[in-house]
Amino acid sequence: MINFAYARAHDVADAVRQIAADPHAKFIAGGTNLVDLMKENVARPSRLIDITHLPLAEIRETPEGGLSIGALVPNSDLAYHPDVARRYPLLASAVLAGASPQLRNMASSGGNLLQRTRCVYFYDTATPCNKREPGSGCSAIDGVNRMHAILGTSEHCIATHPSDMCVALAALEARVLATGAKGERRIAFADLHRLPGDAPQHDTTLAADEIITAIELPAQGFAEHHTYLKIRDRLSYAFALVSVAVGLALEGDTIAEARLALGGVAHKPWRDPAAEAQLVGAAATAETFRRAADTLLSAARGFGRNDFKIELARRSIVRALTQAARGTPQSQSDKRIA
Ligand SMILES: Cc1cc2nc3c(=O)[nH]c(=O)nc-3n(C[C@H](O)[C@H](O)[C@H](O)COP(=O)(O)OP(=O)(O)OC[C@H]3O[C@@H](n4cnc5c(N)ncnc54)[C@H](O)[C@@H]3O)c2cc1C
Ligand code: SF4
């Protein structure tokens, strides 16, 4: 039995004060990831700071014409919010592709961003893992690595980021609003999560005393031409082997704007500016999509059991871009299956 203290935060300033005072404390929102990690003895916070009573559960318009999503908006409320469903269907379908209805009711938007990897060795305290215990080694590199990364890996860690929602947020170029002891700041989504490098214990660039208060979506939601394609072992309740979020703006058959983000392939949602640049100005054809996929995957490397992901990702990119260009997103196919 490992004891921990529990305290409720009364407002954002109080939450920051409490976390700054105890380097081993953790915020708890829906608890769907943190409590599991505590049960497995992977996370051992000295204190849980309950943030669920903070006034951060609102979705509202921003002055720039986008939406601001409070960090405590449950994943379900986010996906079914009329403005999100209508203007950002890419985000709605990514959220609905994750977990189960019960989990989505509990899971918060801020917590989703900070959920930890699903690498089996990370959860197994009997095995070496640099992310859990820096310097102990990586069991996955020569181990069971079917779910692991093919891009942006290091010799210290090949874990993937498990979130679906984050892949859509990367494609939409969302911003994360955080408050810490030094004040408030906005973080471009691409700068929130980090690659493992030689410090895989750090998943994000968030400071230890910062709380996420909101996620901001820009006005452009790519509602006409989008898709979130998730390839997994089961149709529901499984993490992505590979997922692809696409947003396109078309002028006739020509691509005027392109966003392409991959999940299940790296320590963070993966975007490649060169692949996106290759799409812009080109005709929306299978050949164009294949070329972009080749560019994005040119540095991909497997570790044995996950070698198949490279070809899977290539085909998934082409399929997702095709669905988005045709205006027949994966979420519509899902509805037909259901
Ligand atoms: C069986 C199962 C299947 C799942 N399948 C999927 C899936 O397919 N796809 C997917 O994307 N997800 C999946 N999930 C993960 C789920 O989406 C996350 O657990 C959830 O989004 C986390 O949100 P939470 O509010 O419960 O976070 P918590 O567990 O409360 O917190 C997670 C982390 O975030 C920190 N935190 C929380 N809120 C804030 C904040 N506002 N500011 C700063 N730090 C904060 C906490 O300290 C903690 O470290 C699955 C989970 C389970 C248990
Ligand atoms: S891949 Fe990362 S999380 Fe998994 S065992 Fe290696 S260091 Fe740990």
Side-chain angles (χ1 to χ4, degrees):
M1 180 74 191
I2 297 172
N3 290 323
F4 58 87
Y6 168 89
R8 224 177 235 183
H10 303 298
D11 53 34
V12 169
D14 181 40
V16 170
R17 238 185 339 264
Q18 288 197 42
I19 202 112
D22 182 350
H24 302 294
K26 284 233 164 250
F27 293 130
I28 184 158
T32 61
N33 189 216
L34 183 56
V35 172
D36 280 357
L37 291 166
M38 290 172 68
K39 284 187 202 158
E40 299 291 337
N41 208 14
V42 175
R44 292 184 288 271
S46 54
R47 165 183 293 263
L48 289 184
I49 304 167
D50 182 348
I51 59 171
T52 55
H53 293 262
L54 301 183
L56 302 173
E58 206 190 353
I59 297 181
R60 54 175 179 76
E61 291 265 349
T62 63
E64 296 80 33
L67 284 187
S68 170
I69 302 158
L72 291 171
V73 173
N75 285 186
S76 303
D77 293 11
L78 173 63
Y80 293 119
H81 189 280
D83 289 340
V84 176
R86 182 174 55 84
R87 294 178 54 194
Y88 303 94
L90 169 58
L91 177 59
S93 56
V95 172
L96 292 176
S100 66
Q102 292 89 342
L103 282 160
R104 293 194 296 266
N105 289 342
M106 284 300 293
S108 67
S109 298
N112 192 309
L113 270 47
L114 301 181
Q115 62 175 293
R116 306 214 68 191
T117 185
R118 291 283 157 172
C119 171
V120 289
Y121 302 106
F122 178 67
Y123 277 80
D124 180 356
T125 53
T127 59
C129 167
N130 286 325
K131 188 180 276 298
R132 181 172 25 79
E133 202 181 325
S136 62
C138 172
S139 300
I141 288 176
D142 295 316
V144 178
N145 51 40
R146 183 170 177 274
M147 297 295 290
H148 286 70
I150 52 172
L151 286 161
T153 54
S154 79
E155 60 182 302
H156 303 285
C157 180
I158 60 169
T160 56
H161 193 268
S163 167
D164 291 292
M165 175 178 158
C166 288
V167 187
L169 291 173
L172 290 168
E173 294 190 346
R175 288 186 306 181
V176 175
L177 207 57
T179 302
K182 290 186 187 152
E184 189 175 70
R185 66 179 178 128
R186 281 182 170 75
I187 307 166
F189 205 80
D191 298 332
L192 177 67
H193 298 101
R194 53 184 300 286
L195 292 178
D198 60 4
Q201 68 273 26
H202 300 302
D203 294 346
T204 71
T205 56
L206 217 57
D209 63 12
E210 283 182 311
I211 181 171
I212 294 177
T213 54
I215 301 159
E216 291 177 342
L217 302 176
Q220 169 63 289
F222 300 97
E224 296 271 299
H225 295 285
H226 72 276
T227 197
Y228 185 70
L229 174 63
K230 179 175 180 181
I231 309 293
R232 48 190 152 172
D233 287 326
R234 294 184 302 271
L235 191 57
S236 72
Y237 205 41
F239 289 92
L241 287 164
V242 169
S243 70
V244 188
V246 174
L248 297 177
L250 296 181
E251 283 166 10
D253 285 339
T254 304
I255 301 167
E257 206 177 341
R259 303 280 175 76
L260 174 61
L262 265 66
V265 299
H267 201 253
K268 61 186 286 188
W270 191 265
R271 281 181 70 191
D272 181 343
E276 290 179 14
Q278 218 169 355
L279 290 165
V280 175
T285 63
E287 186 46 40
T288 300
F289 301 156
R290 273 193 289 272
R291 271 204 308 272
D294 286 344
T295 300
L296 189 144
L297 293 164
S298 56
R301 173 197 165 198
F303 291 84
R305 295 188 191 200
N306 69 345
D307 292 350
F308 73 98
K309 276 195 179 187
I310 299 175
E311 184 57 24
L312 182 64
R314 194 184 315 281
R315 294 181 191 201
S316 302
I317 292 169
V318 174
R319 187 165 135 201
L321 285 164
T322 306
Q323 286 175 347
R326 286 183 184 155
T328 54
Q330 182 71 8
S331 45
Q332 291 188 0
S333 328
D334 284 346
K335 277 182 202 143
R336 277 200 297 274
I337 292 166

